[in-house]
Amino acid sequence: PAYDSLFGFVVADTITYQVSIRNLDPNDEWTEKCLSRLNQNMLIDSIFSMVMTGRAEATDYETKEPMDPRQIRQILDKQEFDKTRIGMIQFTEVWYLDPQQAAMTKKVHSLVLGYYYFGSGGELLGHTPVFSVQLRK
């Protein structure tokens, strides 16, 4: 496997997975405990701020075309848009393992914010992407 002198061996180049960042079920104590130290609002607000100020690049999830701050503002201004319905983040990362230091490092290259969508009876049907964010390497 490839070796990085700072982080160790590359054990996943690249890996994509999703993480729930909101608990919709107040009776789900396990998820509540897992998310108890996550500041969802700060995370989401920071991601929007990064793309609005050009520190990170937003791209349309479907077309992969870059999105400018005006397009992000249009998403925010839609009447049905509510940042609290962002409940999932899909990460694309490289994973490193340094057995000598017993350390593992993950480097996030991009992420996709996932928005809850519900059926007519209020049941969660899944997530739809808001946009992708390319982070600085």
Side-chain angles (χ1 to χ4, degrees):
Y3 182 79
D4 181 290
S5 61
L6 291 176
F7 303 118
F9 293 101
V10 176
V11 294
D13 181 24
T14 55
I15 189 165
T16 302
Y17 63 98
Q18 62 189 38
V19 175
S20 292
I21 62 167
R22 295 210 190 264
N23 182 13
L24 290 178
D25 182 357
N27 296 318
D28 183 348
E29 294 176 16
W30 174 252
T31 299
E32 197 62 34
K33 181 177 179 174
C34 290
L35 296 175
S36 67
R37 298 180 61 105
L38 173 64
N39 186 333
Q40 298 99 335
N41 294 330
M42 185 176 114
L43 173 63
I44 292 166
D45 288 344
S46 295
I47 292 168
F48 273 88
S49 175
M50 290 184 320
V51 298
M52 291 297 288
T53 60
R55 291 189 308 268
E57 179 185 20
T59 57
D60 183 279
Y61 179 78
E62 299 296 327
T63 67
K64 309 297 186 227
E65 293 293 319
M67 296 174 69
D68 61 37
R70 180 186 52 79
Q71 291 168 300
I72 303 301
R73 175 58 50 204
Q74 287 174 341
I75 291 171
L76 289 168
D77 290 343
K78 286 183 181 175
Q79 184 175 1
E80 71 274 6
F81 186 79
D82 178 358
K83 285 191 280 187
T84 65
R85 286 183 42 205
I86 295 174
M88 183 274 299
I89 299 180
Q90 181 184 75
F91 292 98
T92 300
E93 303 175 342
V94 175
W95 289 1
Y96 302 89
L97 181 64
D98 185 340
Q100 299 300 322
Q101 300 297 318
M104 186 168 185
T105 303
K106 299 177 177 189
K107 184 161 173 64
V108 178
H109 288 289
S110 64
L111 55 94
V112 177
L113 297 174
Y115 197 77
Y116 290 132
Y117 68 94
F118 300 92
S120 59
E123 70 279 7
L124 176 64
L125 297 178
H127 298 90
T128 189
V130 180
F131 51 74
S132 299
V133 179
Q134 311 307 307
L135 300 174
R136 305 271 186 249
K137 295 186 180 188

